[in-house]
Amino acid sequence: MKTSILDLTKSFESKTKNKNERYNEFIYHCYCIFDKKIGSKSPDKIKNKYISMRDDTLKYLIANKKEITTQLFK
């Protein structure tokens, strides 16, 4: 698993016990983290970097749902 994903799972907290809800909350958490980074940067070049990082991370999370859900329940 990517190290950035591991960092995101460590910063994520959820009270729900349902796997699908927790996974969806984690996807939203990741989106919000990147959205804050994008909003705080002013040059377009840096914003584009974070936008592509966000898109790649979300694609990875969707493609590896089973691995992510098991990581979230550890």
PDB file of all heavy atoms in Angstrom, residues 3-4 7-9 11 15 21 24 27-28 32 38 44 46-47 49-50 55 57 60-64 72:
ATOM      1  N   THR A   3       2.547   4.721   0.841  1.00  0.00           N
ATOM      2  CA  THR A   3       2.804   5.327   2.140  1.00  0.00           C
ATOM      3  C   THR A   3       1.869   6.498   2.415  1.00  0.00           C
ATOM      4  O   THR A   3       1.486   6.716   3.557  1.00  0.00           O
ATOM      5  CB  THR A   3       4.266   5.792   2.251  1.00  0.00           C
ATOM      6  OG1 THR A   3       4.548   6.695   1.193  1.00  0.00           O
ATOM      7  CG2 THR A   3       5.213   4.623   2.211  1.00  0.00           C
ATOM      8  N   SER A   4       1.493   7.241   1.377  1.00  0.00           N
ATOM      9  CA  SER A   4       0.561   8.347   1.594  1.00  0.00           C
ATOM     10  C   SER A   4      -0.801   7.829   2.030  1.00  0.00           C
ATOM     11  O   SER A   4      -1.478   8.461   2.839  1.00  0.00           O
ATOM     12  CB  SER A   4       0.431   9.201   0.339  1.00  0.00           C
ATOM     13  OG  SER A   4      -0.089   8.440  -0.725  1.00  0.00           O
ATOM     14  N   ASP A   7      -0.577   7.026   5.696  1.00  0.00           N
ATOM     15  CA  ASP A   7      -0.669   8.252   6.488  1.00  0.00           C
ATOM     16  C   ASP A   7      -2.115   8.728   6.591  1.00  0.00           C
ATOM     17  O   ASP A   7      -2.543   9.189   7.650  1.00  0.00           O
ATOM     18  CB  ASP A   7       0.198   9.353   5.885  1.00  0.00           C
ATOM     19  CG  ASP A   7       1.682   9.038   5.994  1.00  0.00           C
ATOM     20  OD1 ASP A   7       2.063   8.209   6.851  1.00  0.00           O
ATOM     21  OD2 ASP A   7       2.455   9.621   5.209  1.00  0.00           O
ATOM     22  N   LEU A   8      -2.852   8.605   5.498  1.00  0.00           N
ATOM     23  CA  LEU A   8      -4.254   9.012   5.515  1.00  0.00           C
ATOM     24  C   LEU A   8      -5.089   8.101   6.406  1.00  0.00           C
ATOM     25  O   LEU A   8      -5.994   8.575   7.101  1.00  0.00           O
ATOM     26  CB  LEU A   8      -4.822   9.021   4.091  1.00  0.00           C
ATOM     27  CG  LEU A   8      -4.321  10.132   3.179  1.00  0.00           C
ATOM     28  CD1 LEU A   8      -4.772   9.889   1.745  1.00  0.00           C
ATOM     29  CD2 LEU A   8      -4.812  11.482   3.658  1.00  0.00           C
ATOM     30  N   THR A   9      -4.796   6.813   6.419  1.00  0.00           N
ATOM     31  CA  THR A   9      -5.549   5.902   7.289  1.00  0.00           C
ATOM     32  C   THR A   9      -5.254   6.171   8.759  1.00  0.00           C
ATOM     33  O   THR A   9      -6.138   6.016   9.599  1.00  0.00           O
ATOM     34  CB  THR A   9      -5.256   4.420   6.974  1.00  0.00           C
ATOM     35  OG1 THR A   9      -3.866   4.176   7.086  1.00  0.00           O
ATOM     36  CG2 THR A   9      -5.746   4.037   5.606  1.00  0.00           C
ATOM     37  N   SER A  11      -4.638   9.120  10.017  1.00  0.00           N
ATOM     38  CA  SER A  11      -5.304  10.361  10.401  1.00  0.00           C
ATOM     39  C   SER A  11      -6.826  10.252  10.361  1.00  0.00           C
ATOM     40  O   SER A  11      -7.522  11.161  10.786  1.00  0.00           O
ATOM     41  CB  SER A  11      -4.855  11.504   9.487  1.00  0.00           C
ATOM     42  OG  SER A  11      -5.339  11.313   8.169  1.00  0.00           O
ATOM     43  N   LYS A  15     -16.589   6.400  13.747  1.00  0.00           N
ATOM     44  CA  LYS A  15     -17.293   5.700  14.816  1.00  0.00           C
ATOM     45  C   LYS A  15     -18.194   4.594  14.289  1.00  0.00           C
ATOM     46  O   LYS A  15     -18.714   3.817  15.056  1.00  0.00           O
ATOM     47  CB  LYS A  15     -18.121   6.697  15.621  1.00  0.00           C
ATOM     48  CG  LYS A  15     -17.280   7.709  16.361  1.00  0.00           C
ATOM     49  CD  LYS A  15     -18.116   8.671  17.136  1.00  0.00           C
ATOM     50  CE  LYS A  15     -17.218   9.688  17.833  1.00  0.00           C
ATOM     51  NZ  LYS A  15     -17.977  10.701  18.532  1.00  0.00           N
ATOM     52  N   GLU A  21     -19.890   2.025   4.981  1.00  0.00           N
ATOM     53  CA  GLU A  21     -19.969   3.408   5.453  1.00  0.00           C
ATOM     54  C   GLU A  21     -18.586   3.940   5.828  1.00  0.00           C
ATOM     55  O   GLU A  21     -18.254   5.072   5.525  1.00  0.00           O
ATOM     56  CB  GLU A  21     -20.915   3.509   6.652  1.00  0.00           C
ATOM     57  CG  GLU A  21     -22.376   3.380   6.292  1.00  0.00           C
ATOM     58  CD  GLU A  21     -23.272   3.481   7.511  1.00  0.00           C
ATOM     59  OE1 GLU A  21     -22.831   4.017   8.553  1.00  0.00           O
ATOM     60  OE2 GLU A  21     -24.416   3.028   7.420  1.00  0.00           O
ATOM     61  N   ASN A  24     -16.666   4.661   2.654  1.00  0.00           N
ATOM     62  CA  ASN A  24     -17.151   5.892   2.024  1.00  0.00           C
ATOM     63  C   ASN A  24     -16.690   7.129   2.795  1.00  0.00           C
ATOM     64  O   ASN A  24     -16.319   8.137   2.189  1.00  0.00           O
ATOM     65  CB  ASN A  24     -18.676   5.870   1.907  1.00  0.00           C
ATOM     66  CG  ASN A  24     -19.153   4.865   0.899  1.00  0.00           C
ATOM     67  OD1 ASN A  24     -18.437   4.500  -0.034  1.00  0.00           O
ATOM     68  ND2 ASN A  24     -20.373   4.383   1.077  1.00  0.00           N
ATOM     69  N   ILE A  27     -13.050   7.698   1.896  1.00  0.00           N
ATOM     70  CA  ILE A  27     -12.921   8.329   0.574  1.00  0.00           C
ATOM     71  C   ILE A  27     -13.173   9.835   0.704  1.00  0.00           C
ATOM     72  O   ILE A  27     -12.420  10.652   0.161  1.00  0.00           O
ATOM     73  CB  ILE A  27     -13.911   7.708  -0.439  1.00  0.00           C
ATOM     74  CG1 ILE A  27     -13.600   6.234  -0.672  1.00  0.00           C
ATOM     75  CG2 ILE A  27     -13.935   8.486  -1.739  1.00  0.00           C
ATOM     76  CD1 ILE A  27     -12.448   5.963  -1.579  1.00  0.00           C
ATOM     77  N   TYR A  28     -14.217  10.195   1.436  1.00  0.00           N
ATOM     78  CA  TYR A  28     -14.541  11.609   1.638  1.00  0.00           C
ATOM     79  C   TYR A  28     -13.434  12.313   2.420  1.00  0.00           C
ATOM     80  O   TYR A  28     -13.062  13.449   2.106  1.00  0.00           O
ATOM     81  CB  TYR A  28     -15.884  11.735   2.367  1.00  0.00           C
ATOM     82  CG  TYR A  28     -16.292  13.161   2.617  1.00  0.00           C
ATOM     83  CD1 TYR A  28     -16.709  13.974   1.558  1.00  0.00           C
ATOM     84  CD2 TYR A  28     -16.249  13.705   3.893  1.00  0.00           C
ATOM     85  CE1 TYR A  28     -17.073  15.290   1.782  1.00  0.00           C
ATOM     86  CE2 TYR A  28     -16.608  15.018   4.119  1.00  0.00           C
ATOM     87  CZ  TYR A  28     -17.014  15.802   3.065  1.00  0.00           C
ATOM     88  OH  TYR A  28     -17.366  17.110   3.290  1.00  0.00           O
ATOM     89  N   CYS A  32     -11.274  15.520   1.109  1.00  0.00           N
ATOM     90  CA  CYS A  32     -11.217  16.783   1.860  1.00  0.00           C
ATOM     91  C   CYS A  32      -9.787  17.189   2.189  1.00  0.00           C
ATOM     92  O   CYS A  32      -9.454  18.383   2.134  1.00  0.00           O
ATOM     93  CB  CYS A  32     -12.033  16.670   3.142  1.00  0.00           C
ATOM     94  SG  CYS A  32     -13.801  16.623   2.864  1.00  0.00           S
ATOM     95  N   ILE A  38      -5.283  21.959  -1.978  1.00  0.00           N
ATOM     96  CA  ILE A  38      -5.489  22.655  -3.251  1.00  0.00           C
ATOM     97  C   ILE A  38      -5.941  24.093  -2.998  1.00  0.00           C
ATOM     98  O   ILE A  38      -5.463  25.022  -3.634  1.00  0.00           O
ATOM     99  CB  ILE A  38      -6.515  21.903  -4.125  1.00  0.00           C
ATOM    100  CG1 ILE A  38      -5.922  20.570  -4.583  1.00  0.00           C
ATOM    101  CG2 ILE A  38      -6.941  22.743  -5.319  1.00  0.00           C
ATOM    102  CD1 ILE A  38      -6.932  19.628  -5.194  1.00  0.00           C
ATOM    103  N   ASP A  44      -1.049  28.005 -10.012  1.00  0.00           N
ATOM    104  CA  ASP A  44      -1.793  26.955 -10.712  1.00  0.00           C
ATOM    105  C   ASP A  44      -0.976  25.679 -10.879  1.00  0.00           C
ATOM    106  O   ASP A  44      -1.528  24.581 -10.876  1.00  0.00           O
ATOM    107  CB  ASP A  44      -2.259  27.446 -12.078  1.00  0.00           C
ATOM    108  CG  ASP A  44      -3.389  28.453 -11.971  1.00  0.00           C
ATOM    109  OD1 ASP A  44      -4.080  28.452 -10.929  1.00  0.00           O
ATOM    110  OD2 ASP A  44      -3.584  29.221 -12.924  1.00  0.00           O
ATOM    111  N   ILE A  46       1.142  24.311  -8.791  1.00  0.00           N
ATOM    112  CA  ILE A  46       1.077  23.529  -7.560  1.00  0.00           C
ATOM    113  C   ILE A  46      -0.324  22.963  -7.370  1.00  0.00           C
ATOM    114  O   ILE A  46      -0.487  21.820  -6.937  1.00  0.00           O
ATOM    115  CB  ILE A  46       1.518  24.378  -6.355  1.00  0.00           C
ATOM    116  CG1 ILE A  46       2.979  24.767  -6.512  1.00  0.00           C
ATOM    117  CG2 ILE A  46       1.308  23.639  -5.047  1.00  0.00           C
ATOM    118  CD1 ILE A  46       3.494  25.729  -5.477  1.00  0.00           C
ATOM    119  N   LYS A  47      -1.350  23.739  -7.708  1.00  0.00           N
ATOM    120  CA  LYS A  47      -2.718  23.230  -7.613  1.00  0.00           C
ATOM    121  C   LYS A  47      -2.913  22.026  -8.522  1.00  0.00           C
ATOM    122  O   LYS A  47      -3.522  21.031  -8.126  1.00  0.00           O
ATOM    123  CB  LYS A  47      -3.723  24.322  -7.992  1.00  0.00           C
ATOM    124  CG  LYS A  47      -3.943  25.349  -6.937  1.00  0.00           C
ATOM    125  CD  LYS A  47      -5.008  26.328  -7.357  1.00  0.00           C
ATOM    126  CE  LYS A  47      -5.234  27.363  -6.291  1.00  0.00           C
ATOM    127  NZ  LYS A  47      -6.304  28.303  -6.631  1.00  0.00           N
ATOM    128  N   LYS A  49      -0.691  19.933  -9.446  1.00  0.00           N
ATOM    129  CA  LYS A  49       0.037  18.809  -8.850  1.00  0.00           C
ATOM    130  C   LYS A  49      -0.840  18.094  -7.827  1.00  0.00           C
ATOM    131  O   LYS A  49      -0.964  16.873  -7.850  1.00  0.00           O
ATOM    132  CB  LYS A  49       1.312  19.318  -8.185  1.00  0.00           C
ATOM    133  CG  LYS A  49       2.051  18.277  -7.386  1.00  0.00           C
ATOM    134  CD  LYS A  49       3.211  18.905  -6.635  1.00  0.00           C
ATOM    135  CE  LYS A  49       3.739  17.966  -5.574  1.00  0.00           C
ATOM    136  NZ  LYS A  49       4.748  18.623  -4.745  1.00  0.00           N
ATOM    137  N   TYR A  50      -1.481  18.859  -6.942  1.00  0.00           N
ATOM    138  CA  TYR A  50      -2.330  18.262  -5.923  1.00  0.00           C
ATOM    139  C   TYR A  50      -3.611  17.685  -6.516  1.00  0.00           C
ATOM    140  O   TYR A  50      -4.124  16.683  -6.012  1.00  0.00           O
ATOM    141  CB  TYR A  50      -2.641  19.262  -4.805  1.00  0.00           C
ATOM    142  CG  TYR A  50      -1.504  19.420  -3.838  1.00  0.00           C
ATOM    143  CD1 TYR A  50      -0.792  20.607  -3.761  1.00  0.00           C
ATOM    144  CD2 TYR A  50      -1.119  18.376  -3.014  1.00  0.00           C
ATOM    145  CE1 TYR A  50       0.271  20.743  -2.874  1.00  0.00           C
ATOM    146  CE2 TYR A  50      -0.064  18.504  -2.125  1.00  0.00           C
ATOM    147  CZ  TYR A  50       0.622  19.694  -2.067  1.00  0.00           C
ATOM    148  OH  TYR A  50       1.670  19.819  -1.195  1.00  0.00           O
ATOM    149  N   ASP A  55      -6.585  12.775  -7.697  1.00  0.00           N
ATOM    150  CA  ASP A  55      -7.228  11.875  -8.645  1.00  0.00           C
ATOM    151  C   ASP A  55      -6.583  10.497  -8.646  1.00  0.00           C
ATOM    152  O   ASP A  55      -7.278   9.476  -8.652  1.00  0.00           O
ATOM    153  CB  ASP A  55      -7.201  12.478 -10.052  1.00  0.00           C
ATOM    154  CG  ASP A  55      -8.064  13.725 -10.164  1.00  0.00           C
ATOM    155  OD1 ASP A  55      -8.908  13.961  -9.271  1.00  0.00           O
ATOM    156  OD2 ASP A  55      -7.873  14.465 -11.143  1.00  0.00           O
ATOM    157  N   THR A  57      -4.883   9.112  -6.183  1.00  0.00           N
ATOM    158  CA  THR A  57      -5.163   8.467  -4.902  1.00  0.00           C
ATOM    159  C   THR A  57      -6.573   7.906  -4.877  1.00  0.00           C
ATOM    160  O   THR A  57      -6.790   6.772  -4.438  1.00  0.00           O
ATOM    161  CB  THR A  57      -4.964   9.459  -3.746  1.00  0.00           C
ATOM    162  OG1 THR A  57      -3.628   9.954  -3.778  1.00  0.00           O
ATOM    163  CG2 THR A  57      -5.229   8.808  -2.400  1.00  0.00           C
ATOM    164  N   TYR A  60      -6.780   4.810  -6.944  1.00  0.00           N
ATOM    165  CA  TYR A  60      -6.161   3.696  -6.227  1.00  0.00           C
ATOM    166  C   TYR A  60      -7.106   3.160  -5.158  1.00  0.00           C
ATOM    167  O   TYR A  60      -7.243   1.947  -4.988  1.00  0.00           O
ATOM    168  CB  TYR A  60      -4.846   4.144  -5.599  1.00  0.00           C
ATOM    169  CG  TYR A  60      -4.161   3.058  -4.804  1.00  0.00           C
ATOM    170  CD1 TYR A  60      -3.362   2.116  -5.443  1.00  0.00           C
ATOM    171  CD2 TYR A  60      -4.317   2.973  -3.427  1.00  0.00           C
ATOM    172  CE1 TYR A  60      -2.734   1.114  -4.722  1.00  0.00           C
ATOM    173  CE2 TYR A  60      -3.692   1.974  -2.697  1.00  0.00           C
ATOM    174  CZ  TYR A  60      -2.911   1.048  -3.349  1.00  0.00           C
ATOM    175  OH  TYR A  60      -2.301   0.056  -2.638  1.00  0.00           O
ATOM    176  N   LEU A  61      -7.749   4.062  -4.411  1.00  0.00           N
ATOM    177  CA  LEU A  61      -8.663   3.643  -3.354  1.00  0.00           C
ATOM    178  C   LEU A  61      -9.851   2.865  -3.908  1.00  0.00           C
ATOM    179  O   LEU A  61     -10.279   1.874  -3.319  1.00  0.00           O
ATOM    180  CB  LEU A  61      -9.154   4.857  -2.562  1.00  0.00           C
ATOM    181  CG  LEU A  61      -8.122   5.597  -1.735  1.00  0.00           C
ATOM    182  CD1 LEU A  61      -8.733   6.840  -1.130  1.00  0.00           C
ATOM    183  CD2 LEU A  61      -7.555   4.701  -0.664  1.00  0.00           C
ATOM    184  N   ILE A  62     -10.356   3.290  -5.033  1.00  0.00           N
ATOM    185  CA  ILE A  62     -11.491   2.606  -5.648  1.00  0.00           C
ATOM    186  C   ILE A  62     -11.070   1.252  -6.203  1.00  0.00           C
ATOM    187  O   ILE A  62     -11.787   0.261  -6.056  1.00  0.00           O
ATOM    188  CB  ILE A  62     -12.123   3.496  -6.733  1.00  0.00           C
ATOM    189  CG1 ILE A  62     -12.778   4.709  -6.059  1.00  0.00           C
ATOM    190  CG2 ILE A  62     -13.132   2.725  -7.570  1.00  0.00           C
ATOM    191  CD1 ILE A  62     -13.204   5.792  -7.018  1.00  0.00           C
ATOM    192  N   ALA A  63      -9.905   1.185  -6.796  1.00  0.00           N
ATOM    193  CA  ALA A  63      -9.430  -0.069  -7.387  1.00  0.00           C
ATOM    194  C   ALA A  63      -9.070  -1.105  -6.324  1.00  0.00           C
ATOM    195  O   ALA A  63      -9.171  -2.305  -6.582  1.00  0.00           O
ATOM    196  CB  ALA A  63      -8.229   0.196  -8.274  1.00  0.00           C
ATOM    197  N   ASN A  64      -8.683  -0.669  -5.152  1.00  0.00           N
ATOM    198  CA  ASN A  64      -8.239  -1.574  -4.092  1.00  0.00           C
ATOM    199  C   ASN A  64      -9.137  -1.489  -2.866  1.00  0.00           C
ATOM    200  O   ASN A  64      -8.665  -1.397  -1.731  1.00  0.00           O
ATOM    201  CB  ASN A  64      -6.792  -1.259  -3.708  1.00  0.00           C
ATOM    202  CG  ASN A  64      -5.863  -1.458  -4.862  1.00  0.00           C
ATOM    203  OD1 ASN A  64      -5.761  -2.553  -5.396  1.00  0.00           O
ATOM    204  ND2 ASN A  64      -5.197  -0.389  -5.267  1.00  0.00           N
ATOM    205  N   LEU A  72      -8.578  -0.336   7.224  1.00  0.00           N
ATOM    206  CA  LEU A  72      -9.358   0.569   8.072  1.00  0.00           C
ATOM    207  C   LEU A  72      -9.863  -0.116   9.335  1.00  0.00           C
ATOM    208  O   LEU A  72     -10.085   0.553  10.347  1.00  0.00           O
ATOM    209  CB  LEU A  72     -10.546   1.143   7.293  1.00  0.00           C
ATOM    210  CG  LEU A  72     -10.215   2.125   6.186  1.00  0.00           C
ATOM    211  CD1 LEU A  72     -11.464   2.488   5.409  1.00  0.00           C
ATOM    212  CD2 LEU A  72      -9.550   3.363   6.729  1.00  0.00           C
TER     213      LEU A  72
END
